[in-house]
């Protein structure tokens, strides 16, 4: 397995609930798991994340729920529609409904169709699919 250079590790107050959300609803694959420490390494295409039951030795301060305050993770996927369908089928609340936006980077516009959802711990996930580029 090839490991990305940056792999976020997300803390969980309820590891089983978070694991179910990422695997059963969003379709992440468990690459490996350490059940004794309630840890899982997950992937979705080229995206890699780790989730682990919250324990105090890695915390830099008091961790209060929701854990994800102040950060969101952009996850690029081929199409957001399967994720939206799975979330709606599971009656999981979408935080920001799908929208399209152009982002200027140097002399090009990059189009994204995207939506946002909070995971069970409050981490904000922005799933985005490319709409192509314009000069």
């Amino acid at each position: 397995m090839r490991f990305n250079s940056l792999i976020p590790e997300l803390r969980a107050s309820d590891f089983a609930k978070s694991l179910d959300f990422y695997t059963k609803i969003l379709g992440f694959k468990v690459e490996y798991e350490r059940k004794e420490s309630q840890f899982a390494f997950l992937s979705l295409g080229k995206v890699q994340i780790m989730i682990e039951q919250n324990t105090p030795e890695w915390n830099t301060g008091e961790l209060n729920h929701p854990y994800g305050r102040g950060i969101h993770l952009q996850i690029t996927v081929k199409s957001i529609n399967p994720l939206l369908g799975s979330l709606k089928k599971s009656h999981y609340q979408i935080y920001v409904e799908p929208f399209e936006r152009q982002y200027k980077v140097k002399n090009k516009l990059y189009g994204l169709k995207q939506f946002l959802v909070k995971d069970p711990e409050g981490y904000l996930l922005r799933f985005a699919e490319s709409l192509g580029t314009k000069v």
Side-chain angles (χ1 to χ4, degrees):
M1 172 189 312
R2 182 186 173 283
F3 292 94
N4 292 343
S5 297
L6 174 65
I7 306 169
E9 183 168 344
L10 307 177
R11 311 303 275 168
S13 62
D14 184 336
F15 175 77
K17 185 176 181 180
S18 289
L19 185 62
D20 280 353
F21 172 76
Y22 281 97
T23 58
K24 293 180 180 172
I25 296 176
L26 296 180
F28 277 76
K29 176 184 171 188
V30 176
E31 295 292 345
Y32 63 89
E33 187 174 0
R34 291 192 293 269
K35 293 184 183 205
E36 68 281 0
S37 59
Q38 294 183 291
F39 169 91
F41 186 96
L42 309 174
S43 69
L44 180 69
K46 294 180 181 179
V47 175
Q48 297 174 333
I49 63 168
M50 299 178 278
I51 59 171
E52 183 173 28
Q53 182 67 37
N54 183 38
T55 54
E57 68 268 11
W58 288 95
N59 295 343
T60 57
E62 185 177 348
L63 192 58
N64 296 309
H65 206 268
Y67 292 171
R69 290 172 286 170
I71 187 171
H72 82 266
L73 304 173
Q74 179 176 313
I75 301 169
T76 304
V77 294
K78 190 173 186 174
S79 171
I80 63 171
N81 291 333
L83 292 163
L84 286 166
S86 182
L87 288 161
K88 288 178 181 178
K89 182 180 175 185
S90 300
H91 305 287
Y92 201 91
Q93 183 179 359
I94 304 297
Y95 185 68
V96 175
E97 292 293 331
F99 65 99
E100 293 181 9
R101 183 160 297 151
Q102 302 285 323
Y103 296 96
K104 187 175 182 181
V105 179
K106 296 186 180 183
N107 63 345
K108 291 185 181 178
L109 288 175
Y110 291 84
L112 293 178
K113 183 177 179 184
Q114 54 201 334
F115 74 93
L116 291 92
V117 63
K118 288 183 187 178
D119 85 348
E121 301 302 341
Y123 293 103
L124 193 56
L125 310 175
R126 177 167 52 134
F127 287 95
E129 71 176 75
S130 175
L131 296 175
T133 59
K134 295 179 185 178
V135 178

